[in-house]
Amino acid sequence: MEELINTGAIDKTGRSIFVGDIVQHRLGKFGKLGGSKNFKVILYGKKYHLVEESDIDYEYGGIPLTPKLSGSLVVINSNRIVG
């Protein structure tokens, strides 16, 4: 079992976000891309980033996980959520 690393960020439902979690960002009613996007939380260097859920090569790190961004995310899949 791999070690759970808490990012210190909280999603909009109040759950803690951990490295390896799959989070969903809903772009809203007026989003240009439409719909929602799923991202995987990774540790890139000493910071936490979001990459496409299916991305296996993290050469450039993706989107930095900031407190403002984490407030619009929802954890949809995690190794620590049972049931």
Side-chain angles (χ1 to χ4, degrees), residues 2-65:
E2 67 182 60
E3 178 185 353
L4 294 177
I5 301 171
N6 190 339
T7 63
I10 306 282
D11 75 353
K12 71 190 232 178
T13 64
R15 288 190 191 128
S16 294
I17 300 174
F18 288 81
V19 172
D21 286 357
I22 304 298
V23 295
Q24 185 175 69
H25 182 258
R26 298 178 188 206
L27 299 175
K29 189 174 180 179
F30 301 105
K32 292 183 179 185
L33 299 176
S36 58
K37 295 196 87 149
N38 293 346
F39 296 98
K40 182 173 15 176
V41 181
I42 64 164
L43 179 61
Y44 184 74
K46 294 184 178 182
K47 298 187 179 186
Y48 303 105
H49 286 236
L50 301 175
V51 294
E52 292 289 329
E53 179 181 15
S54 60
D55 195 1
I56 58 172
D57 183 21
Y58 315 130
E59 187 175 339
Y60 299 107
I63 304 166
L65 180 61

